[in-house]
Each structure stands twice: as structure tokens, then as C-alpha cells.
Amino acid sequence: MKKKDIQTDVLIIGGGTAGSYAAITLGKHAELSVLVAEKANIQRSGCLAAGVNALNAYITQGHTPQDYVDYATNDAEGIVRPDLLLSLSQRLNSVSADLERRGLVILKDENGKYVSRGWRNIKINGENIKPLLASGVREQKNVRVINHLNITDLETVFDADGKRRAVGAFGFDVNDGSFYHIKARAILMATGGAAGLYRPNNPGFSRHKMWYSPFNTGAGYAMGLLAGAEMTSFEMRFIALRCKDTIAPTGTIAQGVGAKQVNANGDVYETKYGIKTSERCWGTVEENRAGRGPCYLATKGLSREAEQDLYKAYLNMAPSQTLTWLEKGIGPADENVEVEGTEPYIVGGHTASGFWVDNGRASTVRGLFASGDVAGGAPQKYVTGALAEGEIAAESIVAFLAEAGANSLPDASDSAACTNIYAEYKSHFRMEKHKDGQISFSAEQLEESMQKIMDEYAGGISTGYRYNESRLVVAAEKIRELQGLVPRIPASCADDLLRIYELRERLIVCQALIAHMRERKETRWHSFGEHADYPQKTEDGLCYINSVYKDGDVQIIHRPLVKNGERYEHQH
């Protein structure tokens, strides 16, 4: 493995929505050198790779940022950081306007006003949204992008006061296997959430036809945990209600044409269970359990004009749904759309899971910041919220570096951690398939085992998302067993090594997730956290469940809620 050493002022890990916008923001500071490390190619990477047909977080006329805070707080049953929500809500419209200036098509009515879809989102033609952001990054003269660079571990040191500080990162080129040691004065974690932890809806060849990007493995969470950063609210899983088989979004139908959720008898059931995000999924599960399924979105009888609008909308983000209608020769105007819940995900763009951050999006590790799907505390941020957090984090990093001084670049010499990570990478290439009588496994085999364990013992699709203490104990034991097998996976190329580290990341997130689920002894969010031993909400549950990773174990921390109007800041 060729070794490459790089020094930079700011390292951005992940070139998705938040990472790209942070890079654009930092481009205004020509004195800073910025490096974006992207596992894929920034042109079409992240959750926006295929496009999107609406900006789901926007403050429409007659509403305020506080309205959005109140909506997200209510939807998450109070377990949010209102200070984080307010700070991003105040920027939703300005980042949207900036996207339009960059070439994004935002639909307008005959009066020149944005076409809204409900009170908090607007319609767009967003198939090119990621290329527009990537173009904005490439325009910045002080920003360098390295595509196909997979970062696996952070490098940290302890300052004189005993506090941990991030000073660099390690990774490898997913094509040629080159080893990278990057030294940085500040690091922004802007990777995605975690998909692929649970067995998905579709098996075999189609298993990656899922709601959330299958390439988002929880890498940022895993790196943060290993580096000692505090995490929050992993137990607030996200389960999407989606069109059956295609796993296409349902909000386009429910909000776009006002379709109600109905059971096989034609009864509207969404009013029975509630219309919060988790309740829409829970009601579908319960109706199916009661024998009143399948469940649908009632589109039959739509006008042909509305049907054509749905065809076009899905071509912007989930073409398989439009193709399915066309192949069958039966569209949503003639047949209701069947719906189902996906497997659970950990994603801070929809729930509150992620890094525990302050208002500048600084983590509990000095010099390490987080934004977008990997940052916790602010659910329902969606695309524009991720942009806003990228901007906030970038501004905070500029202030942090100014305070640290120009000479705060860490020593570029190799550390013990560098030697160890390099040796760990190489060990997988030197490994034989059968060594000392031990049978090795492939990353794919262990991934399937992990997904089966999480599905059956940690509240997956097969159990109606329910779990209990005894099953979680079994899940924890089995996940630890799989973690012990990861060092024995051989690699014949850099792509094999990528799969091994993606598995390692997912297993670490599973370990933390199970610990969080065991700690929240209530059911605060139906289906998202359906604890069979504790089926009701409790007053004791009004707290944040946080965690740190130490010596291979997850240690739980309870933190009191930050109330509306308050601001939380770290006490470093």
C-alpha cells in the first residue's frame, strides 16, 4: 500500500449535502486550505445522488422558524434540541434561495411564488441538485476534493487539560488501495446515517432497493464513537412508510394529492393511530396484524392531470415507481398504491440520532464538528436543514481556527495510531482463507448474519418492529460475536477492504443502538422504538439518552432536556 501524507487546515469527511455546502462556505475564506474526502464521487454521491422532487423543510408565507421547531418537537414527542432546530430553521429559506441562484428549478405559480406542498415544503425539479452542489465546491480555489477516498478512523491526542482533540484521519483509496494519513486543524464529519443494519424488505439481488442510501453505513457514527465523541438518541430509529416493493416515498402522494391511508376494507385508519411520522408506519403495522391489510394510499379516482403529475414527480427521485405503473398499464388513478414499512435506519436528518453537538455543531471532541444526517438533536432537517448545518459548522470552524491561532497545525510525523491502522489494513491482504485451522468469512456473509440478528432480536420487520429486554440481550451477544470475526475477513483488493470496513462500521452502530434501546424503558415512538416490555410513554423518558464508547463497551449517559428558549454549549 503506497502511503500518502497530507496536511490541511480543514478536513471534511463526506461530500454529500452538508459536506458540500460546508466546503462552499469555507471557500469564502481563501486563507484556509480545505480538503473534502469522498468515498464515492462528489458529482453524484450521498442521499441526493438521484435527485429529489421537493425541499421538505421551508418556511412558507405566514409561518415562522419557531413554527418549524414546534412541528419537529411535537413529531418527535419532545426528544429534540430546540436550540439546534431553531438555528437551522432560521436559515432554511436563505439556503433555498442560494440553491435557486445556483440553477435549481423551484416551481412557481402564475404570480411568481413558490409552489408549496403543505405549509413547510416547496416543489422543485431536483434531478440535478447534487451536480449543482458539486459544481459549487469545484469553484472554490482553496478547496481540494479527493474522490474514492474512504476514511475509516480519526486521529486524536489529549491536550494539557486532559481533553481529547481531533488532529487527523486515516483512510485508503478504494481503487488502488493507497494509504492516506491526513493531518488537519479541524475536522467536519459530514457522512450519512446508517442503512443496512437490518434485513431489508427485498431479498437477494434486490436487497439494496431500500429507502435510505445503501452506501451510508454509519461510518461517521463509528468513527466518532471510536474517537470518544458523545452520541445521542440512537434509540429513536427511523422507519419509512413506502410504496411496496419499489420503496418509493409516500409523502409525494399523501401530501401532493392528499391521499389518505386506508386498509383493505377501504377504512381510513390514519385518524385512528395519528399522523405523526412514526404513527403513520405504526398504524399500517397494526392494521396488517389485525388482518385488515394490505394497506394503501387511496389514489383511485384521481384526475388524469394529477396522475401525470405523480408520474413526473417520481421520475425526479424514484423512477422505479413510475416504471412500475407504466409496465402494469394501471396507474394510481385506477388503483390504490399499496404501502409498507421499511427496515429501521439510524439517520439524524429525520430523527434525533447522531453526534451530541453544541450550537456551532461542535462535538464533545475538540476540533471535531458534525452536520447533516450524522448530527443529532435536530430531526426533520431534510435537504435544506443539512445545508444549513453545513453552513453553521463551517462558520463555527472558522471561529475555532481563528481562536486556535495560525500555528495550530498538528505534528505531521507518524504516530502509533498511524502505524497500527496501516498494519490493520495490510493484515486483511496477507490473510489466507484457511489459516491455523480457522475458517474465514466474507464481509457479505457476516453482513447477512448481522441483518438477520437485528431483524429477529432487535425489532426488525419480521417482529413488527417490536423488541424486549431478553431479545436485546441476545442481539448484543451475537453482534459482539460477529465483531470478533471481522479481523479474520481476507481481502484481495481495495474494494474488498472497503466492504470489510463498512461491515465494521455497521456492527459498531448496532452495538451502540442496542445499548440505547435497552436504556429507554418506554415506548415513546410507536414502531420507531416499540418496546414490548414497556408499551407506554413515561415522564421519566423525557430526557436524552446519550452514550460514549470506551474500551469496546457503550457507556450510557442521561442528559436533561434543553427547553425552548435555552441554548446548550459544551463546557470544555
Side-chain angles (χ1 to χ4, degrees), residues 241-244 250 269 284 295-297 337-341:
L241 185 69
R242 288 299 180 256
C243 301
K244 194 175 187 304
T250 54
Y269 65 84
T284 304
C295 294
Y296 304 90
L297 282 169
V337 178
E338 188 175 351
V339 295
E340 64 181 347

Side-chain angles (χ1 to χ4, degrees), residues 70-80 85 236 276-278 350-352 379-380 524-525 528 542:
D70 295 341
Y71 149 70
T73 302
N74 179 62
D75 199 76
E77 299 290 350
I79 309 299
V80 300
L85 280 168
M236 193 192 295
K276 293 177 183 176
T277 307
S278 62
H350 284 68
T351 61
Q380 315 289 6
R524 180 156 291 270
W525 316 280
F528 286 14
L542 285 169

Side-chain angles (χ1 to χ4, degrees), residues 66-89:
Q66 185 60 47
D67 291 336
Y68 200 85
V69 175
D70 295 341
Y71 149 70
T73 302
N74 179 62
D75 199 76
E77 299 290 350
I79 309 299
V80 300
R81 284 277 303 281
D83 51 341
L84 301 181
L85 280 168
L86 183 60
S87 65
L88 71 84
S89 297

Side-chain angles (χ1 to χ4, degrees), residues 192-380:
L197 306 181
Y198 287 80
R199 188 158 50 190
N201 296 87
N202 300 305
F205 179 80
S206 297
R207 68 186 182 278
H208 289 136
K209 184 181 282 294
M210 54 178 61
W211 165 74
Y212 194 57
S213 170
F215 312 106
N216 287 348
T217 62
Y221 301 145
M223 283 186 271
L225 284 162
L226 291 174
E230 188 173 331
M231 299 289 160
T232 187
S233 305
F234 273 21
E235 76 283 4
M236 193 192 295
R237 307 178 300 172
F238 183 73
I239 300 162
L241 185 69
R242 288 299 180 256
C243 301
K244 194 175 187 304
D245 297 330
T246 63
I247 315 300
T250 54
T252 300
I253 301 173
Q255 296 180 40
V257 299
K260 301 293 186 183
Q261 289 176 231
V262 298
N263 60 26
N265 301 323
D267 302 323
V268 176
Y269 65 84
E270 63 182 43
T271 52
K272 177 180 176 182
Y273 299 95
I275 58 173
K276 293 177 183 176
T277 307
S278 62
E279 291 170 341
R280 287 184 176 277
C281 182
W282 174 53
T284 304
V285 172
E286 291 299 297
E287 288 297 295
N288 279 311
R289 287 183 70 207
R292 293 188 289 270
C295 294
Y296 304 90
L297 282 169
T299 57
K300 190 174 181 179
L302 281 180
S303 69
R304 294 302 172 187
E305 181 183 7
E307 183 179 61
Q308 286 297 314
D309 287 343
L310 288 179
Y311 285 155
K312 295 173 184 176
Y314 279 106
L315 284 175
N316 280 334
M317 55 171 179
S320 59
Q321 185 60 43
T322 299
L323 292 174
T324 296
W325 283 325
L326 294 176
E327 287 168 359
K328 291 175 62 178
I330 302 175
D334 298 309
E335 183 179 77
N336 290 336
V337 178
E338 188 175 351
V339 295
E340 64 181 347
T342 63
E343 76 277 21
Y345 305 95
I346 309 303
V347 51
H350 284 68
T351 61
S353 310
F355 278 77
W356 180 249
V357 293
D358 66 12
N359 277 267
R361 272 54 177 187
S363 78
T364 54
V365 174
R366 279 182 182 150
L368 176 62
F369 300 76
S371 61
D373 275 355
V374 80
Q380 315 289 6

